[in-house]
Amino acid sequence: MTASIISGKELAQEKRRQLAEEVKGLKEQGITPGLTIILVGDNPASLSYIKGKQKASEEIGVAFKLEHFSEKMTEEELLNVIETYNEDDSCHGILVQLPLPEHISEKAVIEKISPEKDVDGFHPLNVGQMMVGQDTFLPCTPAGIVEMIKSAGIEISGKHVVVVGRSNIVGKPAGILLLNEHATVTYCHSRTPNLKEMTRQADILIAAVGKANFITGDHLKEGAAVIDVGVNRLDTGKLCGDVVFEDAMNKASHITPVPGGVGPMTITMLAHNVVKSAKKSAVKQPSK
């Protein structure tokens, strides 16, 4: 068996074309979707991620703004900046780039962002709405995962999904979204005994542990669909996922590559959430 590759890059390009058309329509109504990213400090990885978000925003016509502050910024100062953008009607999405300096509470920052502008989908209100299947801003990576699975024509309903990793940003919400699509979901993590016994049952395996080449062919059921969320840099400088790609190619039915898999869809789903927020603001506008 040779697995089919699910190209997140190609799917992202198609979705961005659709978003650009939606943005064009909003601009005709006098609304330009706006995204503000707030960065505290000079984390190189954060700066790299932000460049990707800026590129996607500009590609589809979203007004992009970066607020870059010193790592010495206080928590109170950051919360005040967030409040300013909560009240700014030209800003439809607020994203505070994580991680934050240790002296700033991530919880306080996430909860300060207006749920109506929480395009990361991290606010407890939006997480709760996601849990019960209500319309809300979905976390970008999990939402991108679901889009990729569907784009490949993979049946979700009734299938056994095994999620390896339980982070609040990827693992947990990915399982919830697939549960909402009527899958049977099992979570595995660092304290799961007999991990291979669990992963070999997966019709769809989500690998989100952040460990290079952690999932081998021995972990896989023949014909499983494998979604590799990991982005790890080897000593050689080469990027790789959490899954041994060659193993999956010989055993899985589908596999996402690294790079060019989940990453481009994560950024695209962020843009999707910004446009969604702008649409909601358009509905609220009083008729002239």
Side-chain angles (χ1 to χ4, degrees), residues 63-175:
F64 177 90
K65 184 174 184 179
L66 173 62
E67 288 275 29
H68 190 175
F69 299 99
S70 162
E71 64 180 10
K72 295 179 181 179
M73 182 185 213
T74 67
E75 181 177 305
E76 183 179 3
E77 288 171 336
L78 177 54
L79 296 179
N80 287 337
V81 170
I82 293 170
E83 183 58 32
T84 298
Y85 285 103
N86 280 342
E87 297 175 359
D88 183 350
D89 289 341
S90 69
C91 172
H92 301 97
I94 302 169
L95 187 156
V96 178
Q97 187 68 46
L98 303 177
L100 289 163
E102 289 184 2
H103 65 278
I104 297 177
S105 164
E106 185 177 301
K107 177 177 180 291
V109 167
I110 289 172
E111 292 181 359
K112 184 65 175 178
I113 297 171
S114 166
E116 296 182 347
K117 298 187 178 186
D118 168 40
V119 288
D120 253 340
F122 294 166
H123 192 284
L125 180 62
N126 289 329
V127 172
Q129 289 176 327
M130 175 192 68
M131 282 284 295
V132 296
Q134 294 178 3
D135 181 49
T136 191
F137 294 119
L138 301 176
C140 302
T141 298
I145 288 169
V146 175
E147 291 268 339
M148 293 178 78
I149 293 170
K150 289 182 175 180
S151 75
I154 299 166
E155 182 68 36
I156 299 174
S157 179
K159 300 300 181 182
H160 187 186
V161 173
V162 176
V163 182
V164 185
R166 53 174 170 175
S167 73
N168 292 332
I169 293 174
V170 180
K172 287 180 185 176

Side-chain angles (χ1 to χ4, degrees), residues 150-224:
K150 289 182 175 180
S151 75
I154 299 166
E155 182 68 36
I156 299 174
S157 179
K159 300 300 181 182
H160 187 186
V161 173
V162 176
V163 182
V164 185
R166 53 174 170 175
S167 73
N168 292 332
I169 293 174
V170 180
K172 287 180 185 176
I176 293 300
L177 291 184
L178 291 162
L179 181 65
N180 290 346
E181 296 284 343
H182 311 297
T184 298
V185 178
T186 299
Y187 288 98
C188 296
H189 45 81
S190 59
R191 299 189 187 182
T192 301
N194 304 319
L195 179 66
K196 288 181 181 178
E197 288 183 19
M198 303 303 296
T199 58
R200 284 177 189 149
Q201 299 175 40
D203 300 309
I204 301 172
L205 179 69
I206 313 292
V209 290
K211 293 184 178 181
N213 297 322
F214 181 76
I215 301 293
T216 67
D218 289 342
H219 288 86
L220 304 179
K221 174 183 178 180
E222 194 80 33

